[in-house]
Amino acid sequence: SARHTGGELAPVRLELEGRACRITALVDTGNTLTDPATGKAVMVAEGEKLRDLFPAGECPAAAELQDPAAALERRKGEGRRWRLLPYRAVGVPWALLLAVKVDRAQVGGEDYGPILVALSPTPVSDGGGYSALIGA
């Protein structure tokens, strides 16, 4: 299978309102997605893998993530934690992802503090070795 170059796998711990989840991310020098509001790196993670961050039954399902605007609309009462993030990818001229601001992200040994995590409706790796991407 295809391999990203310039990337290494790192353990990730995300925290949100006292809950935490652990995933593996590819730290990818080619990933330049940033939060337009802060300029900080944005993590793109497989939505399904973040279930532990949310109360039971509240993690957005893959089908819901296919329509991020409607998903955001349903979360209007949850304050400013949720937003839509525009992005471009290979074969995708322009799209939106539903993103949630986590309280804290640790990638490898590095503390990123609060960052946006965009929830992908589809797997982010072709081989399944990681379930998130973040710029180096």
Side-chain angles (χ1 to χ4, degrees):
S1 71
R3 265 187 63 95
H4 282 260
T5 53
E8 60 183 53
L9 296 180
V12 172
R13 178 183 157 89
L14 300 174
E15 296 175 19
L16 180 63
E17 294 174 351
R19 292 175 295 274
C21 78
R22 292 180 187 277
I23 54 177
T24 299
L26 178 73
V27 181
D28 185 4
T29 53
N31 178 354
T32 55
L33 190 62
T34 54
D35 180 346
T38 64
K40 287 174 86 166
V42 169
M43 181 175 292
V44 179
E46 223 169 294
E48 297 277 297
K49 300 281 198 248
L50 303 182
R51 196 171 286 113
D52 290 349
L53 279 183
F54 303 97
E58 287 187 27
C59 181
E64 187 180 8
L65 293 174
Q66 300 281 1
D67 187 353
L72 180 69
E73 187 67 23
R74 277 193 287 281
R75 288 170 173 75
K76 260 202 333 219
E78 296 176 41
R80 309 172 74 147
R81 191 174 285 287
W82 294 93
R83 65 180 82 156
L84 292 176
L85 195 70
Y87 83 108
R88 285 194 299 272
V90 177
V92 181
W94 188 84
L96 289 170
L97 289 172
L98 182 68
V100 63
K101 185 127 189 195
V102 297
D103 297 328
R104 185 169 181 218
Q106 288 171 284
V107 181
E110 197 176 336
D111 192 344
Y112 280 62
I115 63 166
L116 272 181
V117 178
L119 280 60
S120 171
T122 56
V124 295
S125 88
D126 48 11
Y130 52 92
S131 48
L133 296 167
I134 192 162

